[in-house]
Amino acid sequence: MTNLKSIIMLLLGTLIIWAAPAYADQELIVSAAASLTNALKEVAGQFEQTHPGTKIVCNFAASGPLLQQIAQGAPVDVFASADQKTMNQAQEKGLIAPASRKNFVSNTLVLIVPEKSSLPLAGLRDLASPNIRRVALGNPETVPVGRYTQEALTKAGLWETLKPKFIYGESVRQVLDYVSRGEVDAGFVFATDAAIAKGKVKTAAGVQGHQPILYPIALVAASQKQALAQSFLDFVLSPAAQEIFLRFGFGKP
């Protein structure tokens, strides 16, 4: 079922991009990790204000499916992933311009529970309690937050123990929705995602034991708008954009 959902999401995302109307010279398509949704929309809006006539079209999803869309020829100009592994794969396949690649924000991993939860959950080992029946996390095969989660749980010696409780999401936002709606007892998301769902979820604990969460951004090699795409990438790295990311809870790279 998980693989079927991944295939459907990939096809839908690709169709959305291909079905978009023909773009003018001043329109850019930016494919970005789902956790960037709120912050990057505001950054894109600021860029449009300072570049009259420019339109930024954002495509948000898990980093893995976005990479697959680009590999299949979807017309993307800029790619931003939530982990180094996905961007490394893009670079190895010749899908990005290596010299343009930059880390632009950082994040942290947290364990969250529904806002009204009264379960005694203060750390990873508490997840082994029989009172915790369902734990949501991103699919480690395609979702960066899932890979960070797997790394942390493996280091803590809990991965195999907790496996029967796992409910996989196809993006970090899907995991957040599961927890927000109380469909699971707990879940792993980025701190920035937990922040936008304040009032629906609460953070039970910070999570350590994984590699640093750094987000890279790069120009897509096949883009026909390299100059404009570079201007947007430069803006993402600018103090004005970094202030927006900081306001949404992201850290400096």
Side-chain angles (χ1 to χ4, degrees):
M1 182 61 72
T2 296
N3 289 336
L4 178 59
K5 287 183 179 178
S6 298
I7 293 171
I8 291 173
M9 287 186 65
L10 173 61
L11 291 175
L12 285 175
T14 304
L15 285 172
I16 289 171
I17 293 176
W18 280 109
Y23 293 103
D25 289 342
Q26 294 303 307
E27 290 185 311
L28 284 178
I29 299 179
V30 178
S31 284
S35 52
L36 291 165
T37 300
N38 302 72
L40 196 60
K41 280 183 178 179
E42 187 166 329
V43 170
Q46 288 292 323
F47 182 81
E48 290 173 348
Q49 288 182 21
T50 56
H51 295 72
T54 299
K55 176 66 177 176
I56 305 298
V57 180
C58 294
N59 175 38
F60 296 106
S63 299
L66 291 177
L67 174 60
Q68 293 179 53
Q69 291 170 14
I70 295 170
Q72 291 177 356
V76 178
D77 301 297
V78 178
F79 178 42
S81 70
D83 67 339
Q84 300 298 317
K85 180 178 180 179
T86 304
M87 193 63 79
N88 289 343
Q89 292 172 342
Q91 186 165 329
E92 290 164 3
K93 295 177 180 178
L95 298 175
I96 63 166
S100 70
R101 178 176 176 175
K102 298 287 188 299
N103 293 330
F104 67 105
V105 291
S106 62
N107 214 333
T108 55
L109 182 66
V110 295
L111 176 63
I112 61 172
V113 296
E115 176 64 29
K116 296 181 180 179
S117 174
S118 58
L119 291 172
L121 184 58
L124 297 183
R125 299 203 174 278
D126 294 333
L127 292 172
S129 167
N131 294 323
I132 308 295
R133 295 173 296 169
R134 295 182 298 276
V135 179
L137 65 153
N139 180 352
E141 293 183 7
T142 56
V143 185
V145 73
R147 284 196 280 271
Y148 293 122
T149 301
Q150 182 177 29
E151 186 179 358
L153 291 177
T154 299
K155 186 170 183 179
L158 294 169
W159 179 256
E160 293 299 328
T161 300
L162 297 177
K163 252 186 177 181
K165 302 184 179 187
F166 292 159
I167 303 296
Y168 295 107
E170 295 308 315
S171 75
V172 67
R173 290 302 171 89
Q174 187 173 48
V175 173
L176 183 65
D177 286 343
Y178 286 156
V179 181
S180 297
R181 295 195 296 261
E183 296 176 359
V184 296
D185 299 308
F188 291 89
V189 299
F190 294 125
T192 51
D193 296 291
I196 65 165
K198 188 176 181 181
K200 295 181 179 179
V201 306
K202 56 186 177 182
T203 299
V207 181
Q208 306 297 323
H210 55 78
Q211 60 186 302
I213 301 174
L214 296 173
Y215 288 55
I217 190 169
L219 305 184
V220 175
S223 171
Q224 299 300 305
K225 303 168 186 174
Q226 293 286 324
L228 185 59
Q230 183 64 57
S231 293
F232 179 73
L233 194 154
D234 291 341
F235 183 74
V236 166
L237 296 168
S238 72
Q242 288 295 306
E243 183 178 338
I244 294 173
F245 287 120
L246 185 63
R247 178 154 44 82
F248 278 90
F250 290 94
K252 294 183 177 181

